[in-house]
Amino acid sequence: MKYRTVFDIIGPIMIGPSSSHTAGAARIGRVARTLFAEKPDRADIYFYGSFAKTYRGHGTDVAIVGGILDFDTFDSRITNALTIAKEEKIDIHFHEEEALTDHPNTAKVVLTKGEVTIELVGISIGGGKIEIIELNGFKLKLSGNHPAILVVHNDRYGVIAGVSNVLAKHEINIGHMEVSRKEKGKEALMVIEVDQNVPNTILKELESLPNIVKVTKIHD
């Protein structure tokens, strides 16, 4: 494994005790909140593997709720996240799952507000680093270490080229890109990690393209 900075080795500044079980969990929760784009009424959190066995003792429950509240890993309010969520009238439910997963530190976050729901699966891979491996049933690999654009679109020819052309026109460099679909010709998800934050004006331009359903971004 190659490390780019010292922070890849020692992990981020964070509220303890464990980078995998707290910082990673907080980041998973925060990505879910960012993609949901508003405060949810309810959060269902499913823990698997090591998370399921130790989440109370290691503070994983507090950390992931802190992320859902949009707190960063170093935010001292994380320690009171469960109380704050209750004050903000977010209904929190934890579920201990016995199903086997490919990674021991796996969590699924389901956020709901009215009829709107998002379902996200993430893994904490150490040092506060995470990977988002599933979003609303779409398989993907999103590190959360870089700004990213998520494009929900109809599975039609020319859509990927259209998005790439818009980014190239604005000199947005693509670091990683992948496309996932559940079924040929149906809805698909394009995940694009880029080298800089993308202005909302470019997101609106992407949304105006044919066969684009929704465009969301994750900040660095």
Side-chain angles (χ1 to χ4, degrees):
M1 179 181 293
K2 294 182 179 180
Y3 298 100
R4 294 178 301 167
T5 71
V6 66
F7 297 106
D8 290 342
I9 302 172
I10 65 174
I13 300 170
M14 63 175 190
I15 304 300
S18 160
S19 61
S20 292
H21 285 237
T22 53
R27 293 188 69 199
I28 291 169
R30 199 174 189 205
V31 169
R33 171 63 181 268
T34 297
L35 295 175
F36 197 63
E38 60 181 323
K39 185 177 75 174
D41 293 331
R42 177 184 173 111
D44 285 275
I45 301 159
Y46 301 80
F47 290 124
Y48 300 82
S50 177
F51 271 178
K53 296 174 183 176
T54 63
Y55 72 91
R56 288 192 180 92
H58 286 192
T60 310
D61 52 349
V62 174
I64 202 164
V65 172
I68 292 169
L69 290 168
D70 203 24
F71 299 161
D72 209 334
T73 55
F74 54 78
D75 195 319
S76 61
R77 292 176 295 175
I78 283 181
T79 56
N80 297 312
L82 297 179
T83 300
I84 295 171
K86 187 174 182 179
E87 291 172 349
E88 294 195 8
K89 294 181 169 50
I90 302 176
D91 195 12
I92 305 291
H93 296 268
F94 296 107
H95 308 266
E96 300 172 20
E97 297 293 310
E98 296 183 357
L100 297 177
T101 56
D102 292 335
H103 195 282
N105 297 333
T106 299
K108 179 170 71 175
V109 178
V110 181
L111 302 182
T112 306
K113 184 170 186 176
E115 298 297 318
V116 180
T117 299
I118 189 173
E119 181 177 305
L120 176 151
V121 179
I123 59 175
S124 179
I125 59 177
K129 289 181 171 295
I130 66 167
E131 285 184 3
I132 305 304
I133 59 172
E134 188 174 317
L135 177 63
N136 291 340
F138 291 105
K139 303 295 183 182
L140 68 152
K141 185 177 181 181
L142 178 64
S143 71
N145 294 326
H146 308 283
I149 308 167
L150 285 79
V151 182
V152 180
H153 61 96
N154 296 317
D155 183 26
R156 301 288 189 275
Y157 68 87
V159 175
I160 297 172
V163 170
S164 299
N165 288 337
V166 168
L167 295 179
K169 181 178 71 174
H170 292 284
E171 299 182 348
I172 303 294
N173 191 50
I174 297 173
H176 174 79
M177 181 178 184
E178 62 180 53
V179 180
S180 174
R181 64 184 183 183
K182 299 175 186 176
E183 188 178 343
K184 182 179 177 181
K186 302 296 184 180
E187 203 169 71
L189 175 67
M190 197 183 313
V191 178
I192 309 167
E193 290 190 337
V194 294
D195 291 341
Q196 66 259 54
N197 286 320
V198 180
N200 288 332
T201 52
I202 298 179
L203 298 186
K204 289 180 180 179
E205 185 175 348
L206 292 172
E207 285 185 331
S208 70
L209 295 174
N211 292 304
I212 300 297
V213 177
K214 184 179 180 181
V215 180
T216 311
K217 69 175 178 179
I218 298 176
H219 293 284
D220 194 5

